Amino acid sequence: MPAFRQVGEKQLPNPVLYMAWSPKRDLIALANTAGELLLHRLANFQRVWSLAPNENTGKEITSLAWRPDGKILAFSVGDTKQVVLCDAEKAEILHLFPVDYPVSCMHWMEVQSESSLSSTFSDSEDESNRFLPKLPALPKSYSSTSKIFSEEKSDEVTSLLGEVRLNILVVGGPSGFVELYAYGLYKIATLKGIAGTCRSLCLASDLKSLSVVTEVKSPEDNAEIHYVQLDTGLLSSCLPELTRMARKFTHISTLIQYLRLSLTCMCEAWEDILMQMDLRLTKFVQEKNTSTQVQDEFLELLLWGHASPELQALLMNQLTVKGLKMLGQSIESSYSSIQKLVISHLQSGSEALLYHLSEVKGMALWKQKFQPLGLDPSAIEDAITAVGSFTLKASELLQVIDKSMKNFKAFFRWLYVAMLRMSEDHVPPELNKMTQKDLAFVADFLSEHFSANEELFDRKGKYFNVERVGQYLKDEDEDLVSPPNMEGNHWVTFVQQSTHLKESPLLFPTYPQKSLHFVKRMMEGTIDICLQKPAEVIGSSVKQAVCLSLYSVCERSEDTPRLFELPSLWNDKNAAMNYVVFCMPEISPFKIYILRTATDPNRPALNNLVSIHLNAPFNTSIDDEVPVAESVDRSYSCLDARLYDDETLTVVLQCQEKDENKFRLLAQLPLSSALRCEEEFTWDPTLRLDQQGEEIPVRELTWGNQSRDLENMKAQFVAVNGIRKVACVLSSNLRHIRVFEMDAEDEEDEERADESQDISSDQDGLEETSTNQGAKGADGDAEGEAETCEEMGEGSGDTLEQTSESDTL
């Protein structure tokens, strides 16, 4: 009876480049050559969702990594050099950040910590939640501002922190590029001094070391595979402080993004005002063809109550009473939206930012604990000052909006009454009263918005000037065209006359000549300096502890997917060991090599290198009719190998005997006996490992019935998840996939029934394809999946077994 139970099979329309199992659920993520990210369920390999490439992310996915809790999926994009965090439930992008180089590999690890540590940080987070109100969601009407963030994104971004326990996303790329991001959001380390391009990464769960497999060009211009172990002892020794700092800085990063989006929503609301002005008043002013200034004609109407025939015709025919009323309502609504965004979003976000920065400053003053991590009190103080200036500028904008709204309301009310009189309509008594203050508001509106001064004209060249509020929202370095008038402000006068307060560091600078965007960019730059300092300090503390040259590789096409290539890395959390699994087919095609190093670089590992010979007896068959006594020895080469758990290796093997047509095999190899090898291997640091391979201890394993023939499939790669006890096998053409439950066995009758059903389903699909070329399935997932025999062929002698492809959600 064959081992493992096949639960799904599919022929995909596009080649798969990367695949990764969720650590907590029966879900597997796939990235293909079309730039799509797909999520499939174990049962029948049903598609859960797909995420198409777009202009915000890119179309060249280069690596995948799951957050340890399985709620967030990270993927890197090579053409835009970004790392994107996606919600596994909704296929919704939660966050993205740029990187300096295209990422070639990623690893997301959760730190093992004591329960007392978790409770301590849980209490601290509850404190901040108790003192700070919940940030209001961004307005739904402006959710189109960024296709990445929806109206509920403020909560979702905060939820990216996940559990209290620290988790770290490690990204690597060419030129020794390696960076560490706490919670996948805040960069805590930028590593330097690593040679070559990163092929694989594994951060130990105790944070004592980082294992990196790199590809380095040798002096002879050949590619060599190196194993590098980096000492990250500072992260381990300062874990409580690192966790607290990372959570605070992650809050700060998300708050900056929240303020940025709120300001973008305000700019959209202001664009609505400009659009209304362009459609109504600007057109009205441009069509006036007399030499008299519009401002003078409006003042004449205000003072004497009658308008020139031309002005009256323009008002009644072009603007109309109804149009004026709609324009006034639209502008008032836009001003109200901006005002609400300032009060509920900018001010509340700034207050939360000040709170977290003040706590970080208190942490930085505890130099014994936090100074080794690079917290600089002076840099944090500068960041607090910058946030204070931004808050003052937002308050200044509120005053300008309040004054502009009064002027707008007074002007439109007066003009509405004047137009009603022109049309001899009834004027409501409540609108007929006009105070001296109302007259002043109308005069201010006319002087500000119909001024003949060219410096006050709109920068788009329009005749109607609306710069009073808009100048604060323009992302430019120029000074404000109409800065606020501080004459008569008692507080400003008092501060300027006070010797002690004039230059006091306790007062935030106001920058009265600058826009809100300018102060916001200045604040972001100051906070960036504050955030980057720990990454530089922690990165410089990481030193190389081990560097081993393993073997040289032949030249190959750059189209070969890197994620599927050996070596693969594994962290044994219980034994505090790192495993490196690799093959050297040029010198030993029938062996798998396992290199073990302790996660603590200061602790030597015994029996650190062993090889497993695959020329073992094969004693099982598909129909289980061959007795063990008749089993024969066969030679196998390893195509792919991944650690299933701490003591089990999942491999895809290829039989080398010609009469067997080089069939493929999926097997589980128990490693306990091999890892107990008592022979020691002495490294010669002057030589590569493949140049001294004859001295490596060799062990032979018999895997019994823990293997299964992969019939009708040129299997090449495998992805496994020992926690969920599942495996996914991918063919050499990167399009044929089979999924297995590794702790279950097929019943013979069920297997044969499934095979007949698969063949029938496959035939039906082929017949439908021949008659309805290019038709799409009703569920949207069958498109391109039923293909011609030539496209589906895995090679000579291969026929595809295809299961039902009903991809319902």
Side-chain angles (χ1 to χ4, degrees):
M1 184 162 49
F4 324 136
R5 181 163 67 94
Q6 181 176 323
V7 294
E9 182 174 14
K10 190 175 290 289
Q11 178 81 10
L12 299 175
N14 295 302
V16 173
L17 291 180
Y18 307 99
M19 54 185 181
W21 281 103
S22 168
K24 297 294 185 181
R25 301 173 63 184
D26 296 331
L27 299 171
I28 186 168
L30 308 174
N32 60 28
T33 54
E36 292 179 304
L37 182 63
L38 310 172
L39 193 69
H40 284 261
R41 186 174 288 114
L42 174 65
N44 297 324
F45 206 69
Q46 294 177 345
R47 181 187 294 184
V48 179
W49 53 252
S50 64
L51 185 65
N54 59 66
E55 65 276 6
N56 289 320
T57 56
K59 57 183 179 180
E60 184 186 335
I61 298 178
T62 57
S63 60
L64 298 173
W66 284 91
R67 196 169 74 174
D69 63 0
K71 295 180 179 179
I72 306 295
L73 177 62
F75 63 95
S76 59
V77 188
D79 51 338
T80 57
K81 293 192 289 188
Q82 294 185 115
V83 175
V84 185
L85 305 186
C86 176
D87 188 342
E89 292 288 339
K90 307 175 184 177
E92 189 175 19
I93 296 175
L94 300 177
H95 183 70
L96 56 80
F97 56 87
V99 288
D100 295 333
Y101 298 91
V103 174
S104 58
C105 55
M106 293 193 298
H107 175 241
W108 208 331
M109 180 275 313
E110 185 175 63
V111 178
Q112 287 186 333
S113 59
E114 300 176 358
S115 58
S116 58
L117 178 65
S118 298
S119 62
T120 300
F121 289 125
S122 178
D123 293 341
S124 68
E125 291 306 316
D126 288 340
E127 278 188 3
S128 66
N129 292 332
R130 187 168 67 248
F131 290 130
L132 293 175
K134 183 180 179 181
L135 292 176
L138 295 175
K140 185 175 182 179
S141 57
Y142 297 106
S143 60
S144 60
T145 298
S146 173
K147 294 182 180 180
I148 301 175
F149 292 87
S150 67
E151 60 171 328
E152 299 177 353
K153 203 59 65 193
S154 57
D155 294 335
E156 293 178 358
V157 171
T158 305
S159 70
L160 284 172
L161 289 171
E163 300 298 329
V164 173
R165 184 176 296 176
L166 177 66
N167 56 78
I168 298 177
L169 174 65
V170 189
V171 301
S175 304
F177 167 71
V178 177
E179 290 182 341
L180 279 64
Y181 290 84
Y183 303 103
L185 296 171
Y186 164 61
K187 182 165 63 176
I188 58 172
T190 301
L191 309 188
K192 300 178 181 179
I194 304 173
T197 300
C198 295
R199 291 270 297 271
S200 186
L201 298 161
C202 185
L203 181 62
S205 61
D206 57 10
L207 284 185
K208 292 183 178 179
S209 65
L210 171 64
S211 296
V212 186
V213 173
T214 63
E215 182 177 321
V216 184
K217 286 290 185 180
S218 66
E220 295 80 16
D221 204 28
N222 295 323
E224 293 184 353
I225 301 299
H226 289 192
Y227 169 72
V228 179
Q229 187 180 31
L230 303 171
D231 187 349
T232 57
L234 177 63
L235 300 179
S236 177
S237 60
C238 298
L239 176 57
E241 295 79 17
L242 177 68
T243 304
R244 186 179 293 272
M245 182 189 74
R247 291 188 70 84
K248 284 299 174 187
F249 277 7
T250 304
H251 277 300
I252 291 169
S253 299
T254 53
L255 284 170
I256 292 175
Q257 182 71 5
Y258 178 81
L259 293 176
R260 187 182 298 124
L261 290 172
S262 301
L263 193 54
T264 306
C265 291
M266 292 169 54
C267 292
E268 282 197 4
W270 178 247
E271 288 296 327
D272 290 344
I273 296 178
L274 287 180
M275 183 176 65
Q276 294 296 329
M277 293 298 185
D278 288 344
L279 290 176
R280 306 283 184 173
L281 291 182
T282 301
K283 182 180 179 181
F284 163 71
V285 174
Q286 287 176 334
E287 291 181 353
K288 185 179 179 302
N289 54 16
T290 61
S291 59
T292 309
Q293 295 292 335
V294 176
Q295 180 185 15
D296 296 338
E297 295 201 9
F298 272 115
L299 285 175
E300 184 179 349
L301 177 61
L302 177 64
L303 293 175
W304 309 113
H306 62 83
S308 65
E310 184 185 39
L311 178 61
Q312 184 172 348
L314 287 173
L315 287 174
M316 301 306 296
N317 298 332
Q318 299 293 335
L319 193 57
T320 72
V321 176
K322 183 178 179 181
L324 177 67
K325 189 174 182 179
M326 293 177 58
L327 176 61
Q329 291 174 349
S330 175
I331 292 177
E332 183 178 356
S333 174
S334 297
Y335 268 123
S336 299
S337 298
I338 297 174
Q339 196 172 40
K340 290 177 182 177
L341 285 167
V342 174
I343 295 173
S344 63
H345 293 72
L346 289 191
Q347 290 190 336
S348 59
S350 300
E351 291 171 359
L353 202 53
L354 282 173
Y355 175 88
H356 289 293
L357 282 172
S358 298
E359 284 209 337
V360 173
K361 181 184 176 183
M363 292 158 51
L365 294 175
W366 194 355
K367 295 185 178 180
Q368 181 183 359
K369 292 284 187 180
F370 291 94
Q371 193 174 34
L373 296 177
L375 284 184
D376 184 2
S378 61
I380 300 171
E381 182 63 40
D382 293 340
I384 293 175
T385 302
V387 175
S389 298
F390 178 77
T391 305
L392 291 178
K393 182 59 67 173
S395 300
E396 179 184 313
L397 176 59
L398 275 180
Q399 297 176 7
V400 174
I401 291 175
D402 185 63
K403 182 179 179 182
S404 296
M405 285 186 68
K406 291 179 180 177
N407 293 345
F408 262 112
K409 286 182 178 179
F411 172 75
F412 281 108
R413 178 182 175 183
W414 163 75
L415 190 58
Y416 179 67
V417 172
M419 293 178 67
L420 287 178
R421 287 173 177 166
M422 290 179 192
S423 60
E424 297 181 354
D425 289 341
H426 172 69
V427 179
E430 64 272 10
L431 297 179
N432 210 10
K433 299 178 181 179
M434 196 167 188
T435 64
Q436 188 66 30
K437 185 179 291 186
D438 293 334
L439 288 173
F441 288 152
V442 175
D444 288 342
F445 180 88
L446 294 175
S447 63
E448 291 174 5
H449 300 287
F450 290 98
S451 175
N453 187 351
E454 294 183 357
E455 293 182 358
L456 295 181
F457 284 168
D458 185 85
R459 292 175 187 172
K460 293 183 178 180
K462 304 298 183 183
Y463 292 89
F464 188 84
N465 175 50
V466 286
E467 288 287 328
R468 181 65 69 177
V469 174
Q471 61 183 347
Y472 283 85
L473 303 178
K474 291 187 176 181
D475 194 4
E476 300 173 357
D477 292 334
E478 288 85 357
D479 291 346
L480 296 178
V481 177
S482 303
N485 185 6
M486 295 298 180
E487 294 182 4
N489 188 306
H490 299 295
W491 169 253
V492 174
T493 303
F494 172 71
V495 171
Q496 291 177 348
Q497 294 176 352
S498 173
T499 306
H500 301 288
L501 291 179
K502 191 173 184 180
E503 302 295 335
S504 174
L506 299 176
L507 299 181
F508 299 138
T510 57
Y511 305 101
Q513 301 294 326
K514 297 299 182 181
S515 69
L516 182 66
H517 256 293
F518 178 88
V519 179
K520 187 262 298 182
R521 283 191 281 109
M522 183 188 67
M523 175 189 71
E524 290 177 343
T526 308
I527 293 178
D528 282 343
I529 296 175
C530 173
L531 296 179
Q532 292 172 4
K533 185 72 178 295
E536 297 173 359
V537 173
I538 295 174
S540 61
S541 71
V542 177
K543 304 299 181 184
Q544 181 174 291
V546 176
C547 182
L548 303 174
S549 178
L550 300 182
Y551 56 94
S552 62
V553 294
C554 59
E555 293 294 331
R556 59 189 177 282
S557 170
E558 287 299 322
D559 294 335
T560 304
R562 297 286 186 181
L563 183 68
F564 298 140
E565 293 181 352
L566 295 175
S568 64
L569 296 175
W570 175 266
N571 176 225
D572 185 346
K573 303 177 180 60
N574 298 321
M577 300 291 290
N578 291 321
Y579 293 175
V580 188
V581 181
F582 58 96
C583 297
M584 296 187 291
E586 289 79 7
I587 64 167
S588 302
F590 309 121
K591 292 181 181 179
I592 300 176
Y593 298 86
I594 300 178
L595 170 65
R596 294 197 303 168
T597 58
T599 57
D600 186 354
N602 300 317
R603 179 169 66 92
L606 300 177
N607 312 320
N608 61 343
L609 184 64
V610 66
S611 62
I612 299 174
H613 203 291
L614 297 174
N615 192 13
F618 177 67
N619 54 8
T620 62
S621 66
I622 290 295
D623 55 11
D624 204 26
E625 294 178 356
V626 179
V628 176
E630 297 180 6
S631 63
V632 295
D633 289 347
R634 290 170 175 167
S635 298
Y636 297 96
S637 62
C638 179
L639 300 176
D640 197 12
R642 306 288 157 177
L643 274 158
Y644 183 77
D645 54 35
D646 295 339
E647 294 187 348
T648 307
L649 185 68
T650 305
V651 294
V652 174
L653 305 178
Q654 175 178 278
C655 179
Q656 297 298 311
E657 295 186 14
K658 295 182 180 179
D659 58 344
E660 296 290 340
N661 196 24
K662 294 186 177 182
F663 71 85
R664 311 299 169 95
L665 188 76
L666 178 66
Q668 297 277 71
L669 305 183
L671 300 179
S672 55
S673 61
L675 297 179
R676 288 196 298 267
C677 177
E678 298 179 357
E679 300 179 52
E680 282 289 334
F681 172 72
T682 304
W683 288 80
D684 185 349
T686 62
L687 299 175
R688 288 195 314 267
L689 180 62
D690 57 2
Q691 296 172 336
Q692 45 188 326
E694 297 298 328
E695 303 174 9
I696 301 175
V698 181
R699 305 289 289 178
E700 290 191 357
L701 298 179
T702 301
W703 50 85
N705 65 346
Q706 291 299 305
S707 62
R708 172 171 180 151
D709 284 353
L710 300 172
E711 291 186 329
N712 303 322
M713 181 182 189
K714 279 192 174 180
Q716 185 76 23
F717 307 107
V718 64
V720 297
N721 183 347
I723 298 176
R724 304 301 300 181
K725 301 185 184 305
V726 289
C728 182
V729 179
L730 180 66
S731 65
S732 58
N733 72 355
L734 308 180
R735 298 171 70 174
H736 187 187
I737 280 183
R738 286 183 185 172
V739 187
F740 298 91
E741 285 186 352
M742 306 299 283
D743 62 344
E745 294 183 348
D746 277 338
E747 294 293 338
E748 184 176 359
D749 294 338
E750 291 179 355
E751 183 180 0
R752 291 177 178 176
D754 290 342
E755 289 176 356
S756 63
Q757 181 181 357
D758 294 344
I759 295 173
S760 175
S761 174
D762 186 31
Q763 292 296 330
D764 293 342
L766 290 176
E767 291 174 3
E768 183 179 352
T769 303
S770 62
T771 57
N772 302 296
Q773 186 66 29
K776 296 182 179 180
D779 59 358
D781 188 36
E783 180 182 357
E785 291 182 0
E787 303 187 353
T788 63
C789 294
E790 180 180 356
E791 290 172 332
M792 295 168 63
E794 297 286 335
S796 60
D798 278 356
T799 59
L800 174 65
E801 290 182 19
Q802 187 173 6
T803 58
S804 173
E805 298 179 357
S806 58
D807 281 1
T808 56
L809 295 180

